[in-house]
Amino acid sequence: MEEVNSKKEPVPDIDSLLYSFTEFLTGKADEERVKMIKVWALYNHMLKTMPPLVQHWTNEHPEQKAQLRELFEQVKRWNMEKKQKGETE
């Protein structure tokens, strides 16, 4: 029984869940968008659970902070566009 468990991957494959989440959130799920949503979700979680760490990192990496801000704005735009399409259909 132990041998079967030792062959399992240490991290579950949730790609299909990420694709579905991306599609529900933004209206479309391609590789680039899923990658962006992964970063968005992880950063959002870290921001909520360890704000001092994130603040320190963003102070040390202002260029990446600006990129993340743009990513957050893009996700917000996609979500608003999806909601607007849903209201007009």
Side-chain angles (χ1 to χ4, degrees):
M1 192 76 152
E2 281 184 43
E3 190 174 318
V4 172
N5 289 337
S6 66
K7 291 182 181 181
K8 285 185 179 178
E9 290 291 324
V11 178
D13 182 12
I14 61 168
D15 285 342
S16 64
L17 178 59
L18 285 167
Y19 272 82
S20 294
F21 179 71
T22 301
E23 187 170 3
F24 284 122
L25 184 66
T26 69
K28 181 180 173 185
D30 56 27
E31 260 187 71
E32 182 180 351
R33 224 176 251 205
V34 170
K35 185 176 178 180
M36 291 172 77
I37 294 301
K38 282 181 189 179
V39 172
W40 173 83
L42 181 58
Y43 184 82
N44 201 29
H45 177 71
M46 289 188 293
L47 188 59
K48 289 177 182 176
T49 58
M50 295 187 161
L53 174 65
V54 173
Q55 183 177 13
H56 173 75
W57 183 85
T58 56
N59 288 338
E60 296 290 317
H61 302 90
E63 302 86 17
Q64 284 84 359
K65 179 183 178 182
Q67 285 180 303
L68 284 166
R69 170 58 35 220
E70 179 54 37
L71 187 141
F72 268 67
E73 291 299 320
Q74 181 63 56
V75 170
K76 185 178 179 179
R77 283 190 298 270
W78 285 331
N79 184 256
M80 293 302 289
E81 289 170 7
K82 181 184 180 294
K83 286 180 179 181
Q84 287 174 349
K85 281 183 182 177
E87 290 173 2
T88 59
E89 290 178 4

